[in-house]
Every structure is written in C-alpha cells, then in structure tokens.
C-alpha cells in the first residue's frame, strides 16, 4: 500500500481494528490513516446516493467528523471498520436525501463526474477491491430487473417502501417481497465472497 | 447454513427484514420492527442472514477519488494546534 506522507511506519502497517483503539484515545495520525483508507469508498457511496458533488462532500465530512468526535465507538463484533464507516456514510446520506425537497431534484447536475474523478488503482488491495466491486455489481445487475430496481431505489436512492410502491404503482407487500428475494438471491450469488483486508 | 432463495420465512414479519436492512422502512415501522427483533429469533436470523449482502452494496458504487480539497476532521485539528503553537487566534 502506498504510504501517506509523514506517517509512522508502525501505524501504516496496523489493521483498521487496531488503529481504532488509538483513535478512541484521540490519536490524530491513526485517524488520518483510517481516513486515507476509506475516504474514497465513502465519497463514492455518498456521490452514488446524492448524485451531487457538494452534497457528497458534505456527507463525507459530516460522517468522519461524527466518528472523530464521538471517540469512534467502533465495535469489532459488528463487522469490519470499512463496513462500519460506510454504514455511517449511508445513514448520513439517507438523512440528507430525506431532508432535500423532492427526491427527483437532486438527480440533476453532476453527470460526467465519474470520468473526471475516477479513482486510480494504486495498490493490490485497491485492485482487489475493484474486482470485489465488479462481483457485487454483477450480482445486483443480474437480478430480475424489478428486484434490482427496488434494491437500488431503497439503498442508493433513499426511498421508503411506500414511496417506491407509489413510483412503481405496485403494492407495498410486493415491494418488500422483491427486496427480500433480491437480497436472498444476491447472497447465493456472492457465496464465498470475502471482504478483503484494508 | 445455505438455503434456497425462495425459502419461506418462519415469521410473517420477516418480510420486513429486507426493507429494514435497506433503510426503506418509514420511521414508525422501523421502530416497531426493531422492537420486534428483540423478541423474535426467526427475524433476527433473517436479518443476520441478509445483513452480509447489504454490507457489500456500498462497493457497487463506481469508485471515485474524493476531491483534493476534501479534508478529514484531523486536518482541521492539526491546523488548530499549529495556530495555537504559533500563538495565533483560532
């Protein structure tokens, strides 16, 4: 992994979970490494959800600020640091989307950003993550379209089941059923999938 | 344990597990389901079973480098300390 400038070797080599113990004590360099490792995924998720660069930046700033200020109450029993960080980003983005007036308004604006800001693969871990991402996208995109649609509208669009039911003119029970069945099928397709270390 | 995708849940509320994990339940339903999870093993199992998939969804987003001007909170902290050391006002 490329080492960030001025970062002590020992910290750079530490696993996220161990760094979080230092972050809990207010260790700034440890937090800098966590930020360096996960800010690309955080920004990517926030941008995918908000479709707006400024809104995505706000979400990422607020997310990292909240986990820095809260002394990072990370519980390793609940999954990896990456999953935890992205969960915070997802919740913040959902809040931002639901505060905005009219979900469709935010769809405007930053088309083409992907090309300008596409993350480069710098390390083997990043290349591995890109492969992982491809597997997940394939699992999602090969679902029956109505199952893929409800999962995307809910997870990335921030819409509730009743909003989705209205948009698709479909009963709420059917929407919930498609969500569950789609996730279940993805689970089968991703069997054996393992999260890569940081 | 592996199971078929068309496996039927043991509890009628388990249908809400997907919507719950995707943050698609309205606030009142979300709170009811969380409360139900406290008493229903079948729904807890369902949530646990599907959680691993939802945890992978963020990486389905196209990966974009954050803008260079986007800073983490540690940068602001470092600047504040630098100013303090130099005797400047924050």
């Amino acid at each position: 992994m490329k080492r960030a400038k001025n970062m002590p070797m020992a910290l750079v080599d530490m696993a996220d979970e161990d760094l979080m113990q230092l972050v809990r004590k207010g260790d700034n360099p440890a937090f800098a490494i966590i930020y360096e490792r996960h800010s690309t995924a955080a920004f990517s998720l926030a941008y995918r959800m908000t479709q707006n660069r400024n809104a995505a930046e706000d979400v990422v700033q607020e997310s990292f600020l909240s986990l820095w200020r809260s002394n990072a109450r990370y519980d390793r029993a609940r999954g990896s640091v990456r999953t935890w960080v992205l969960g915070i980003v997802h919740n913040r983005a959902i809040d931002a989307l639901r505060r905005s007036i009219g979900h469709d308004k935010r769809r405007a604006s930053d088309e083409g950003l992907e090309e300008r800001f596409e993350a480069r693969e710098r390390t083997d871990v990043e290349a591995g993550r890109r492969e992982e991402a491809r597997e997940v996208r394939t699992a999602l995109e090969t679902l029956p379209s109505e199952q893929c649609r409800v999962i995307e509208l809910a997870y990335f669009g921030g819409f509730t089941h009743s909003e989705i039911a209205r948009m698709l003119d479909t009963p709420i029970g059917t929407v919930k059923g498609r969500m569950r069945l789609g996730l279940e099928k993805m689970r089968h397709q991703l069997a054996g999938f393992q999260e890569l270390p940081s | 344990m592996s199971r078929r995708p068309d496996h039927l849940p043991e509890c009628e509320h388990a249908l809400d597990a997907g919507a719950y994990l995707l943050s698609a339940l309205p606030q009142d339903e979300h709170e009811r389901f969380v409360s139900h999870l406290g008493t229903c093993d079948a729904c807890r199992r369902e949530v646990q079973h599907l959680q691993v998939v939802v945890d992978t969804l963020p990486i389905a987003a196209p990966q974009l480098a954050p803008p260079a001007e986007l800073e983490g909170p540690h940068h602001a902290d470092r600047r504040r300390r630098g100013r303090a050391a130099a005797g400047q006002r924050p």
Side-chain angles (χ1 to χ4, degrees):
Chain A
M1 174 179 290
K2 179 188 171 188
R3 190 180 314 167
K5 282 178 189 164
N6 303 323
M7 286 183 179
M9 176 72 179
L11 284 180
V12 172
D13 289 341
M14 285 171 75
D16 283 352
E17 290 70 20
D18 299 323
L19 287 171
M20 289 311 298
Q21 299 203 9
L22 298 174
V23 172
R24 193 188 290 259
K25 297 172 189 159
D27 188 298
N28 199 314
F31 186 84
I33 294 172
I34 292 289
Y35 181 85
E36 164 102 5
R37 286 180 184 171
H38 303 298
S39 56
T40 292
F43 180 74
S44 304
L45 175 61
Y47 181 75
R48 172 71 177 79
M49 293 177 73
T50 61
Q51 300 284 292
N52 178 288
R53 180 182 168 181
N54 291 337
E57 287 179 16
D58 287 346
V59 165
V60 172
Q61 286 276 21
E62 288 170 16
S63 301
F64 279 97
L65 191 60
S66 78
L67 64 90
W68 175 238
R69 284 189 175 157
S70 67
N71 293 326
R73 285 187 288 270
Y74 164 69
D75 175 6
R76 69 170 73 201
R78 297 178 68 181
S80 70
V81 171
R82 191 175 186 77
T83 298
W84 175 67
V85 169
L86 294 176
I88 292 171
V89 171
H90 185 253
N91 288 339
R92 290 269 168 179
I94 292 256
D95 289 345
L97 291 174
R98 291 184 182 166
R99 274 199 310 267
S100 68
I101 305 165
H103 272 192
D104 50 354
K105 284 191 180 169
R106 65 175 194 257
R107 298 296 180 208
S109 73
D110 285 347
E111 277 181 36
L113 189 70
E114 287 87 347
E115 289 173 19
R116 284 180 279 141
F117 289 95
E118 191 167 355
R120 292 190 192 90
E121 290 173 23
R122 292 178 302 184
T123 66
D124 290 346
V125 171
E126 284 162 356
R129 283 197 177 131
R130 185 156 293 218
E131 176 59 22
E132 241 185 348
R134 195 189 55 76
E135 282 181 47
V136 174
R137 269 199 297 277
T138 301
L140 183 60
E141 287 163 5
T142 52
L143 289 176
S145 61
E146 65 275 12
Q147 291 167 16
C148 177
R149 186 101 196 274
V150 295
I151 289 173
E152 288 197 323
L153 285 170
Y155 189 81
F156 293 114
F159 294 99
T160 63
H161 61 50
S162 46
E163 290 171 324
I164 296 169
R166 272 198 301 278
M167 288 161 70
L168 303 181
D169 196 18
T170 304
I172 287 175
T174 304
V175 170
K176 288 183 190 175
R178 287 176 181 171
M179 288 174 176
R180 182 186 161 276
L181 192 54
L183 292 174
E184 182 77 56
K185 284 183 185 167
M186 282 187 74
R187 196 183 192 286
H188 267 255
Q189 192 157 343
L190 294 172
F193 182 93
Q194 283 191 323
E195 197 173 312
L196 291 169
S198 304
Chain B
M1 192 192 335
S2 121
R3 65 189 202 190
R4 289 166 51 95
D6 56 359
H7 151 92
L8 290 174
E10 299 162 48
C11 169
E12 59 177 325
H13 297 292
L15 189 61
D16 285 345
Y20 163 74
L21 289 166
L22 293 167
S23 304
L25 292 178
Q27 191 62 31
D28 56 338
E29 282 185 51
H30 177 90
E31 284 164 14
R32 277 202 300 276
F33 189 69
V34 168
S35 166
H36 174 70
L37 283 177
T39 61
C40 178
D41 285 344
C43 285
R44 273 202 303 275
R45 277 198 302 276
E46 185 74 7
V47 165
Q48 216 168 17
H49 181 75
L50 298 178
Q51 177 81 62
V52 289
V53 180
V54 177
D55 286 348
T56 67
L57 287 176
I59 63 171
Q63 295 299 289
L64 309 173
E69 62 270 25
L70 184 64
E71 291 187 334
H74 52 289
H75 290 106
D77 249 29
R78 201 177 302 153
R79 272 201 309 275
R80 215 168 22 244
R81 280 204 303 273
R83 278 196 300 266
Q88 295 170 0
R89 294 179 62 179

